[in-house]
């Protein structure tokens, strides 16, 4: 998004909990990937998952020496998420698990084996100065709300919460500067109203505002005009895979920048790092974040593009939205001088052949502080400054 206008305008981003049906699928797919990488770091995996009422289907292709019990991995992930109650009509013990995974195409393997990209495509990375994570404010707040829904549910802080949930935050900008929060939306699956844990929708709204929203949303950015929508349609008892079929890769904007900054279209979860859909997006984020952290731009988007079986990117582009301290063509040259951009080199640089992916499957792949998120490091700022 280019906000280089003085007029006030709004921008909205959403997030979902790990109990959302699409995120259940992302978690299962990445758990399969992790299980394979734990045994064979050179595993090639492309795992897709579908969930619906009491059914989980795994499909895809692999090339690995690992022996993975796919059903056991799926069930353990479903258990970890919290689908352990038959009342949800999707639970770890009673749901059926079907697996349809076959060997990777030899045609694809031929291109990857020589160090080329596992597919064609364009990948984007983005960074800006709106938050300490160098991420857009709307998506970071949405993620914090979704994660808090899960953390409070796990801790038993609100006993009526169930695993499925969504959040959404609308931020008002003046130019590129976020100035206030215009609207907050939280929708959470819950136990039946009138049962042992929840007396009314009014109680739910009051408690969610008090325990979930207020600790997360900065009071300095809210005012009397800020709107709060908590379960705005009312009852949300039917949720999770019983309420809506889930698929791997349907929340790519949640996974990235909340719509601020472009997305090439490829999903991340279930794909090993030879798939540049995933690894090159991580690298593009790393580059963009280091450019902003180095003070070379206030906002930065990096595009990398690849051809299947070809090692070097077919194009490298840097866009600083007019905030760059250097010409964008020079920044693109510096990027190619400093950062390894072939699939094999960037995989080694970011140390991606490890079982680190299940934790990425919910609450965003970017703006995270965990040590395994190597693409979030800002360790190249000195090198970048030295080239300018």
């Amino acid at each position: 998004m280019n906000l280089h206008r003085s007029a006030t305008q709004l921008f909205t981003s959403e997030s979902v909990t790990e109990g959302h049906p699409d995120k259940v699928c992302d978690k299962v797919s990445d758990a399969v990937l992790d299980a394979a990488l734990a045994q064979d770091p050179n595993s090639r995996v492309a795992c897709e998952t579908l969930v619906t009422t009491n059914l989980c289907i795994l499909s895809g292709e692999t090339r690995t020496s690992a022996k993975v019990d796919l059903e056991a991995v799926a069930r353990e992930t479903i258990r970890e998420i919290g689908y352990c109650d038959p009342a949800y009509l999707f639970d770890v013990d009673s749901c059926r698990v079907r697996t349809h995974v076959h060997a990777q195409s030899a045609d694809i393997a031929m291109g990857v084996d020589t160090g080329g990209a596992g597919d064609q495509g364009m990948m984007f990375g983005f960074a800006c100065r709106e938050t300490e994570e160098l991420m857009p404010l709307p998506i970071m707040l949405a993620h914090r709300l979704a994660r808090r829904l899960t953390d409070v549910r796990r801790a038993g802080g609100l006993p009526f919460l169930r695993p499925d949930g969504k959040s959404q935050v609308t931020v008002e900008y003046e130019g590129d500067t976020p100035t206030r929060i215009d609207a907050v939306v939280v929708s959470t699956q819950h136990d039946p109203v009138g049962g042992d844990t929840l007396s009314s929708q009014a109680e739910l709204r009051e408690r969610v505002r008090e325990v979930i929203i207020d600790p997360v949303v900065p009071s300095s950015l809210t005012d009397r005009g800020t709107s709060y929508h908590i379960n705005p349609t009312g009852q949300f008892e039917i949720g999770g895979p019983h309420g809506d079929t889930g698929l791997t890769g349907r929340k790519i904007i949640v996974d990235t920048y909340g719509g601020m900054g472009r997305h090439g279209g490829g999903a991340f979860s279930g794909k090993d790092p030879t798939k540049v859909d995933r690894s090159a997006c991580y690298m593009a984020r790393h580059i963009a974040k280091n450019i902003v952290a180095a003070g070379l731009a206030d906002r930065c988007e990096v595009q990398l593009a690849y051809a299947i079986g070809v090692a070097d990117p077919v194009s490298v582009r840097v866009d600083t939205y007019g905030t760059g301290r250097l010409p964008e063509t020079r920044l693109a040259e510096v990027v190619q001088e400093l950062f390894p951009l072939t699939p094999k080199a960037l995989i080694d640089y970011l140390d991606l052949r490890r079982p680190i992916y299940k934790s990425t499957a919910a609450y965003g792949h970017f703006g995270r502080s965990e040590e395994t998120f190597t693409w979030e490091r800002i360790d190249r700022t000195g090198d970048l400054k030295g080239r300018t």
Side-chain angles (χ1 to χ4, degrees), residues 74-367:
R75 290 193 187 279
E76 179 57 28
T77 306
I78 292 166
R79 185 186 305 280
E80 289 174 0
I81 292 170
Y83 284 106
C84 306
D85 187 337
Y88 299 162
L89 297 180
F90 179 86
D91 79 285
V92 60
D93 294 319
S94 65
C95 75
R96 294 167 293 153
V97 177
R98 300 287 182 263
T99 61
H100 303 275
V101 177
H102 56 81
Q104 183 188 61
S105 162
D107 292 343
I108 294 175
M110 183 170 55
V112 179
D113 289 344
T114 60
D119 202 353
Q120 69 175 44
M122 64 282 191
M123 297 80 199
F124 291 93
F126 181 79
C128 62
R129 294 195 177 279
E130 293 179 23
T131 64
E132 64 180 15
E133 299 87 358
L134 302 184
M135 286 283 287
L137 180 62
I139 189 63
M140 291 307 298
L141 289 176
H143 283 326
R144 289 170 192 160
L145 288 167
R147 185 185 283 274
R148 186 157 179 82
L149 272 175
T150 296
D151 291 345
V152 169
R153 172 177 61 85
R154 291 188 186 281
L158 294 177
F160 54 80
L161 294 179
R162 291 185 172 184
D164 196 358
K166 294 177 126 181
S167 61
Q168 185 171 285
V169 178
T170 300
V171 174
E172 184 176 289
Y173 286 79
E174 292 183 7
D176 288 341
T177 304
T179 55
R180 59 180 292 274
I181 294 168
D182 190 70
V184 177
V185 183
V186 173
S187 295
T188 180
Q189 186 187 13
H190 57 81
D191 287 347
V193 173
D196 294 336
T197 61
L198 183 62
S199 62
S200 65
Q201 285 290 337
E203 180 194 5
L204 181 147
R205 292 189 174 107
E206 179 182 349
R207 296 291 286 151
V208 168
R209 172 71 186 270
E210 174 189 356
V211 177
I212 305 297
I213 297 175
D214 288 346
V216 169
V217 175
S219 59
S220 60
L221 290 176
T222 61
D223 54 31
R224 291 183 178 180
T226 302
S227 301
Y228 298 89
H229 305 280
I230 301 169
N231 280 31
T233 61
Q235 183 170 296
F236 185 6
E237 295 178 18
I238 300 171
H242 177 57
D244 188 12
T245 297
L247 290 170
T248 299
R250 277 208 301 203
K251 286 290 179 284
I252 58 175
I253 301 304
V254 171
D255 286 342
T256 52
Y257 308 101
M260 191 179 293
R262 282 170 280 203
H263 191 295
F268 299 158
S269 288
K271 296 177 180 177
D272 75 82
T274 66
K275 280 74 172 176
V276 284
D277 276 345
R278 180 170 219 154
S279 54
C281 278
Y282 289 178
M283 191 59 163
R285 160 65 178 171
H286 177 64
I287 295 167
K289 187 177 183 182
N290 274 268
I291 288 172
V292 172
L296 300 182
D298 295 329
R299 307 172 71 81
C300 181
E301 182 182 77
V302 172
Q303 185 198 44
L304 306 174
Y306 292 84
I308 187 168
V310 178
D312 291 315
V314 297
S315 70
V316 178
R317 180 176 184 270
V318 177
D319 184 352
T320 62
Y321 303 88
T323 70
R325 313 297 188 260
L326 289 173
E328 290 164 342
T329 52
R330 176 55 187 153
L331 276 174
E333 291 172 355
V334 170
V335 164
Q336 293 174 83
E337 293 166 4
L338 286 179
F339 294 92
L341 299 179
T342 67
K344 182 180 184 305
L346 68 86
I347 287 169
D348 292 341
Y349 174 83
L350 295 175
D351 197 10
L352 298 180
R353 295 190 187 276
R354 297 177 294 150
I356 60 174
Y357 296 104
K358 187 164 67 170
S359 64
T360 70
Y363 318 115
H365 292 243
F366 308 124

Side-chain angles (χ1 to χ4, degrees), residues 11-51:
F11 194 88
T12 301
S13 295
E14 71 157 349
S15 184
V16 297
T17 68
E18 60 197 56
H20 184 282
D22 293 330
K23 280 297 160 194
V24 172
C25 295
D26 286 347
K27 279 272 189 182
V28 170
S29 293
D30 273 335
V32 169
L33 171 61
D34 281 355
L37 290 173
Q39 298 179 43
D40 176 6
N42 293 310
S43 294
R44 307 269 177 81
V45 177
C47 180
E48 311 290 343
T49 304
L50 177 148
V51 293

